Amino acid sequence: MNLVKNLNKSLAHLKTFLALILLCWCFSANAQKIGLGASGSKPATAAANLGIDPANPKEFTIAEVTVSGTQFLDPNSMVSISGLKPGDKIRVPGPAIPSSIRRMMDFGTLNDVEIMATKVEGEKIWLNIHIKERPRLYKVSFSGIRKGERETLNDKVKLIKGRVITPTVIKNTQLVIKKYYMDKGFYNTKVKVLQIPDSTRGQATLNFTITKGKKVKIEKIDIQGNTAVSDKILKRKMKGTKQKRIGRLFNPSKYIPKKYDEDKEKLIAYYRKNGYRDATIEFDSIKNGDETISIVMKIDEGTKYFYRDITWSGNYLYTSAYLGERLGVKKGDVYNPEELDKKINGIPGADVSSIYMDDGYLYFRIEPTEKAVEGDSIDVELRMFEGKQATINRILLNGNTKTSDRVVLRELFTLPGQKFSKTEIINTQRQLSQMGYFDPEKIQINPIPNQQDGTVDIEYTVEEKPSDQIELSGGWGGYIGFVGTLGLVFNNFSLKNIPNRETWRPLPSGDGQKLSLRFQANGKQYQTYSLSFSEPWLGGKKPINFGVSLQRTVYRMTDPSSFYSGGASGGNLSYRGGYFNNGITLSLGRRLKEPDRNLVMTHSLSYQRYRLDDLDIFRIGYSNGVSNNISFNTTISRNTLSDFQFPRSGSNISLSGTFTPPYSALRKKDFTDKTDTYRWVEYHKWMFDASYYATITGKLVLSARTHMGFLGAYGDKVGYSPFGRFIVGGSGLAGQGSFSLADQDIIGLRGYQDQKVGPQNEQGYPASGGGIVYNKYVMELRYPVSLNPQATIFILGFAEGGNNWGTYKEFNPFDLKRSAGVGARIFMPAFGLLGIDWGYGFDKIQGEAKRSGPQFHFTIGQQIR
């Protein structure tokens, strides 16, 4: 009995003790908190003083809720988040207070919350919410890394000053930093964080100490389970995950998880492309060492499948036999869904969808369906929905802030009223790229179907890029010496907007006309001026290109003796002869509709007047006199390049013939001297240029080019003219015609000195003014570093060969001066195209005992040849 009494008494004391603990945990008077959070710092007032009995919970009505401790947060918002408002009834102790504290802590910006009773009168209670805010970010700093890395990480983590510092923010920042270094091969990077508080301002600095460790190399890649495809091929397909070996330079064996995941997908894609549609990676594991890892991967190849029966359904306009022939997939071919989709939808003008979509069937679609799988054979049914034809209703144009609408619209191949055509949309995109006014990477085409009335609106969105150029450069012009150049090219000029000051940017623009001004000089010794203007749509209704060009060239031969008679020290240099040329050219060209819309025929008529004043520039005994050159040129060209600055596909072919009247055939008497012989220049000249571009893989582009030129004579009375000849070798200077005299064509050949390939005289200059026949072949691999229109940069490797002959008897198209090397190009709108090449010439040129060897070349401008 006593035992029971003692037990009951003990239980009563325990009950009172537990009630007091609950009271202390859930509710305390004055400075003692109620609920969750850090302990208060003020002494607690006895609960009994406020009339609260912890052992007997009582219901109170909230009379007032106040907030203390705020620095940045709004007190009214804190009251709202707490869920406690005047007039609410709560039980104390009870669940309302702990629940309110949890809600406030879940808000994420608070470090601690205390809810205190400050006053109790009868059934009314006054509450104070005392909060401690989390610190706000003042600054982020990084330790253990270089300055450049710190700047990069600042951009990566993107922590904004004033942001609340939470554990989640810190954890996410650590993960971002680790991922950044893992992507660079530092697999074991460690990141520690130190929070440095500034209690006076409620802010803190986060310092991240980074220990990168060493780059983790891949020691071994062990591929298991593969029998159909060798380890060598599979490892080659893993472009970003390479096994460590000596001599690996361009694909280092760093372990980067992201690239490893991508490479696993590439392996499976390769298997499925070769018929193994069930191929999977059963498992893979990473064995981590100190500085290396090993990868073990097991592949289940599955069965290799082949097409058995290919059937069509839903086709009414074309027969299954015709569609099957266009598809090009036959029974027994390796099952390849990727290639099948490409032949259905991926080759504009040559896939199945183009048959329909080029005839207006915008809503056409094909769904390949595996109808049966037996053994290693698969039956595929191509289920078709032909739909109805759609007619183009409207053309919507966005983004052309500088170029006028009519200039863009006249270049489109999709016009209102025409049937929708997939191929014409692709052609239009290429045409807009070739204009040179818009960023090719940003051209967007969006067909907007209107199924109710069977029409489609086509929306073109473009982004203007700078197209005007300022050329300020210098170059070495062979016997001319250093030549400075100042050129201005306005590719989107507007003649009619000259009175409209709003279109001056810096000159009137927007009508697609081209105005070019150029000046080259080496003091008084060499000067050339040119002014040209072209209108691509003469009259505004048809693509008829009209152009006019004016040119003047002055070249004076310096007398070397004047250097020693005071000229070089401030006196006047004297000249022993000069060459003067004035010319004008008018051209008219138009696009042809037949047999190919990409063909352009251009005709031009040119008059050049040359005057030689005691200067034998050809070294043939003709040093005084006036020569007149009236020539007619016809050029047929076809351009399907995808872009002007960095073409990835397409071709550009040009054939031109230049003819002067056969004056010698019209004369009965013989010529008396050189002045009489060359008074009227006569020749016929043929030029052929072809360029081809194709994307090999990714961004890597193959460029193949060939160039040929032939100069002919009308008879033996005059022979081959010294005018209009070919100069081969070196950088080609700045392209066709620059630094050239007497209608010469300058052709670059890297790996050899300027103007040194071909017939030379005893002084080492081009004999008789140059060669009469040349050919050149070029092969380049190009890779873009940046396709930004503000600075288009690409690198290249090249192999080329060419030669220049003084007679047709010596001409041998296989007798080439060969070279190979590397180079880079950068295009900036303000300066045009700038290039540098290093080439190695493998052959000897005339008059030299050893091969040409290494040469550096600088180029300015877009080279034609």
Side-chain angles (χ1 to χ4, degrees):
M1 188 71 177
N2 289 333
L3 179 62
V4 174
K5 284 183 178 181
N6 291 334
L7 183 59
N8 288 335
K9 189 180 291 186
S10 299
L11 290 173
H13 287 305
L14 180 61
K15 182 178 180 182
T16 303
F17 180 70
L18 290 174
L20 287 172
I21 291 176
L22 179 64
L23 177 65
C24 294
W25 184 71
C26 293
F27 186 89
S28 64
N30 292 338
Q32 192 172 10
K33 71 173 183 179
I34 303 173
L36 303 176
S39 298
S41 58
K42 298 179 182 179
T45 303
N49 293 342
L50 295 177
I52 297 174
D53 183 2
N56 298 299
K58 184 179 178 181
E59 191 173 76
F60 291 93
T61 300
I62 299 175
E64 183 184 31
V65 181
T66 59
V67 178
S68 61
T70 57
Q71 285 184 295
F72 303 100
L73 299 175
D74 178 37
N76 293 328
S77 299
M78 294 295 99
V79 173
S80 177
I81 292 170
S82 72
L84 301 173
K85 57 182 182 293
D88 286 353
K89 294 183 181 294
I90 62 172
R91 183 172 293 276
V92 180
I97 299 298
S99 175
S100 176
I101 292 175
R102 279 194 297 271
R103 280 197 299 271
M104 298 187 73
M105 291 300 292
D106 290 342
F107 185 57
T109 62
L110 304 178
N111 202 37
D112 196 10
V113 177
E114 296 176 317
I115 300 180
M116 300 170 288
T118 58
K119 183 178 177 182
V120 174
E121 289 183 359
E123 295 183 352
K124 292 186 177 181
I125 187 169
W126 282 255
L127 299 178
N128 175 261
I129 303 174
H130 183 76
I131 65 175
K132 184 178 180 182
E133 298 181 19
R134 293 188 187 275
R136 305 275 172 146
L137 181 65
Y138 174 67
K139 186 174 68 174
V140 176
S141 61
F142 301 97
S143 303
I145 55 176
R146 297 190 303 270
K147 180 181 178 181
E149 293 177 275
R150 291 197 294 268
E151 293 174 354
T152 303
L153 283 179
N154 268 322
D155 295 334
K156 290 284 184 183
V157 299
K158 296 179 181 177
L159 289 178
I160 303 171
K161 185 177 180 179
R163 182 175 182 176
V164 177
I165 300 175
T166 65
T168 302
V169 169
I170 294 173
K171 188 69 175 177
N172 289 342
T173 304
Q174 288 176 306
L175 292 174
V176 168
I177 294 171
K178 284 186 176 181
K179 182 179 182 303
Y180 171 74
Y181 282 103
M182 286 177 71
D183 288 346
K184 291 184 172 295
F186 296 95
Y187 188 62
N188 296 321
T189 299
K190 296 179 181 178
V191 182
K192 294 182 180 179
V193 62
L194 176 63
Q195 187 170 315
I196 307 170
D198 182 355
S199 56
T200 58
R201 294 185 292 186
Q203 295 178 328
T205 297
L206 290 180
N207 175 260
F208 294 91
T209 301
I210 301 167
T211 306
K212 295 189 297 184
K214 294 184 177 180
K215 288 186 178 180
V216 175
K217 303 283 187 177
I218 301 173
E219 182 69 29
K220 185 180 180 182
I221 300 177
D222 182 15
I223 302 177
Q224 303 173 358
N226 55 308
T227 57
V229 184
S230 68
D231 287 5
K232 185 177 180 180
I233 293 176
L234 293 177
K235 289 178 181 179
R236 192 184 303 146
K237 295 298 176 183
M238 300 172 71
K239 303 293 185 182
T241 309
K242 296 295 183 181
Q243 186 172 299
K244 186 172 70 172
R245 66 172 172 81
I246 297 173
R248 189 179 294 283
L249 299 175
F250 299 105
N251 291 308
S253 56
K254 296 183 296 186
Y255 173 66
I256 300 174
K258 180 181 178 181
K259 290 189 176 180
Y260 176 55
D261 291 338
E262 292 173 355
D263 285 337
K264 289 191 290 184
E265 293 177 3
K266 289 177 183 177
L267 289 186
I268 298 305
Y270 177 75
Y271 267 106
R272 290 175 180 171
K273 188 176 180 180
N274 286 276
Y276 296 90
R277 71 161 194 155
D278 300 329
T280 58
I281 296 177
E282 286 189 11
F283 73 85
D284 65 301
S285 62
I286 309 296
K287 296 181 180 178
N288 193 4
D290 293 334
E291 297 180 9
T292 62
I293 66 165
S294 296
I295 298 175
V296 179
M297 180 189 304
K298 186 175 181 181
I299 296 176
D300 181 4
E301 295 178 328
T303 303
K304 184 173 184 177
Y305 292 93
F306 301 88
Y307 290 104
R308 187 171 61 181
D309 290 330
I310 300 175
T311 56
W312 302 79
S313 63
N315 55 306
Y316 301 100
L317 296 173
Y318 299 97
T319 65
S320 298
Y322 175 74
L323 294 174
E325 183 179 346
R326 184 64 172 263
L327 182 67
V329 177
K330 300 180 177 61
K331 180 178 181 179
D333 287 351
V334 173
Y335 181 69
N336 184 352
E338 179 183 338
E339 185 67 18
L340 180 65
D341 183 68
K342 185 177 179 181
K343 290 184 176 183
I344 292 174
N345 297 305
I347 312 172
D351 57 358
V352 174
S353 67
S354 293
I355 299 175
Y356 287 89
M357 300 189 79
D358 287 352
D359 196 28
Y361 291 90
L362 172 63
Y363 310 107
F364 164 84
R365 65 177 183 270
I366 297 180
E367 296 179 1
T369 305
E370 295 181 2
K371 196 173 181 181
V373 180
E374 296 180 7
D376 64 351
S377 300
I378 296 180
D379 296 339
V380 176
E381 182 181 22
L382 300 175
R383 299 173 181 173
M384 302 176 58
F385 173 75
E386 294 177 333
K388 297 181 179 179
Q389 287 178 309
T391 304
I392 299 173
N393 180 34
R394 292 185 304 161
I395 300 295
L396 308 175
L397 186 60
N398 302 317
N400 54 315
T401 56
K402 179 179 178 181
T403 308
S404 63
D405 286 355
R406 64 181 182 83
V407 172
V408 182
L409 294 174
R410 71 191 185 189
E411 300 293 338
L412 304 183
F413 297 135
T414 53
L415 301 176
Q418 294 180 343
K419 288 186 291 187
F420 175 83
S421 172
K422 172 183 173 182
T423 299
E424 294 294 31
I425 283 184
I426 302 299
N427 290 338
T428 297
Q429 185 175 26
R430 186 183 67 246
Q431 188 71 10
L432 292 176
S433 298
Q434 290 180 351
M435 291 177 70
Y437 308 149
F438 310 116
D439 183 355
E441 306 296 320
K442 301 292 180 62
I443 296 175
Q444 299 179 8
I445 303 176
N446 179 32
I448 306 173
N450 305 309
Q451 296 196 35
Q452 297 83 358
D453 57 4
T455 64
V456 58
D457 298 335
I458 303 179
E459 181 181 38
Y460 292 95
T461 302
V462 297
E463 183 176 308
E464 299 268 7
K465 72 173 185 178
S467 57
D468 299 332
Q469 299 174 18
I470 300 175
E471 182 183 347
L472 182 61
S473 58
W476 187 263
Y479 46 77
I480 297 171
F482 179 82
V483 177
T485 302
L486 174 62
L488 298 173
V489 180
F490 301 94
N491 285 303
N492 199 357
F493 186 70
S494 175
L495 194 63
K496 74 172 186 179
N497 281 330
I498 291 179
N500 185 2
R501 294 292 301 177
E502 295 180 357
T503 64
W504 285 58
R505 305 174 185 175
L507 288 181
S509 59
D511 279 347
Q513 298 163 346
K514 182 176 180 179
L515 178 66
S516 176
L517 302 95
R518 207 161 188 265
F519 170 66
Q520 292 178 308
N522 179 0
K524 199 174 180 180
Q525 181 186 6
Y526 176 79
Q527 298 173 5
T528 179
Y529 315 85
S530 65
L531 170 66
S532 63
F533 172 81
S534 65
E535 164 58 71
W537 284 66
L538 185 64
K541 295 183 179 180
K542 294 183 179 181
I544 299 175
N545 188 304
F546 169 76
V548 58
S549 175
L550 302 173
Q551 181 183 336
R552 173 173 171 77
T553 301
V554 175
Y555 169 59
R556 298 181 178 91
M557 177 67 77
T558 306
D559 185 356
S561 63
S562 64
F563 282 92
Y564 305 100
S565 59
S569 60
N572 293 323
L573 293 173
S574 61
Y575 302 94
R576 63 182 186 185
Y579 161 89
F580 307 90
N581 168 226
N582 296 306
I584 182 172
T585 302
L586 300 175
S587 63
L588 199 65
R590 68 171 300 163
R591 298 177 194 164
L592 303 180
K593 295 182 179 179
E594 299 294 340
D596 190 327
R597 187 173 56 193
N598 296 310
L599 285 171
V600 176
M601 177 173 283
T602 304
H603 306 291
S604 65
L605 182 65
S606 174
Y607 172 70
Q608 303 286 329
R609 185 177 187 274
Y610 312 103
R611 180 167 65 88
L612 298 178
D613 184 7
D614 200 25
L615 178 63
D616 186 5
I617 61 172
F618 307 121
R619 292 170 177 81
I620 59 174
Y622 177 44
S623 57
N624 286 283
V626 173
S627 298
N628 300 278
N629 185 351
I630 300 176
S631 61
F632 177 78
N633 174 275
T634 295
T635 300
I636 299 177
S637 61
R638 183 178 185 273
N639 186 352
T640 60
L641 296 182
S642 61
D643 184 18
F644 179 70
Q645 295 303 335
F646 187 77
R648 299 179 185 177
S649 62
S651 62
N652 189 4
I653 303 173
S654 173
L655 174 64
S656 71
T658 303
F659 312 92
T660 67
Y663 302 107
S664 61
L666 303 176
R667 285 186 55 161
K668 295 182 179 180
K669 64 178 182 177
D670 294 332
F671 295 97
T672 57
D673 55 23
K674 298 288 186 181
T675 303
D676 191 25
T677 302
Y678 300 121
R679 184 180 306 279
W680 293 96
V681 177
E682 63 173 64
Y683 59 77
H684 57 92
K685 187 175 182 178
W686 304 84
M687 306 287 285
F688 176 76
D689 303 282
S691 303
Y692 173 77
Y693 296 85
T695 300
I696 298 176
T697 178
K699 297 180 179 181
L700 188 64
V701 174
L702 170 68
S703 168
R705 308 196 301 273
T706 182
H707 309 278
M708 300 178 184
F710 305 90
L711 185 72
Y714 292 114
D716 296 333
K717 188 178 290 188
V718 174
Y720 294 102
S721 171
F723 294 87
R725 296 204 174 198
F726 307 113
I727 307 294
V728 178
S731 63
L733 302 175
Q736 183 183 22
S738 295
F739 310 137
S740 64
L741 304 175
D743 201 25
Q744 296 166 331
D745 283 293
I746 297 182
I747 295 94
L749 186 62
R750 292 167 287 190
Y752 298 88
Q753 295 181 32
D754 287 345
Q755 307 185 7
K756 294 297 184 181
V757 177
Q760 305 284 305
N761 60 19
E762 294 179 357
Q763 290 77 34
Y765 295 106
S768 302
I772 62 171
V773 56
Y774 91 94
N775 63 355
K776 175 183 173 182
Y777 310 99
V778 184
M779 188 82 72
E780 286 184 353
L781 286 175
R782 299 179 169 190
Y783 187 83
V785 176
S786 168
L787 293 176
N788 188 325
Q790 301 295 331
T792 302
I793 305 171
F794 62 89
I795 56 177
L796 58 90
F798 69 87
E800 64 185 29
N803 209 342
N804 190 20
W805 294 270
T807 66
Y808 282 98
K809 185 177 181 180
E810 298 171 335
F811 172 57
N812 180 358
F814 304 105
D815 177 20
L816 303 176
K817 306 302 180 185
R818 301 160 300 164
S819 66
V822 294
R825 298 289 183 273
I826 176 170
F827 174 82
M828 294 184 292
F831 301 103
L833 188 67
L834 308 175
I836 182 172
D837 295 290
W838 178 89
Y840 188 92
F842 296 107
D843 298 297
K844 297 180 290 185
I845 59 176
Q846 287 185 344
E848 296 292 335
K850 58 181 181 179
R851 63 177 61 183
S852 178
Q855 306 278 340
F856 275 102
H857 305 284
F858 297 92
T859 58
I860 303 166
Q862 186 78 37
Q863 288 184 295
I864 300 175
R865 301 178 177 93

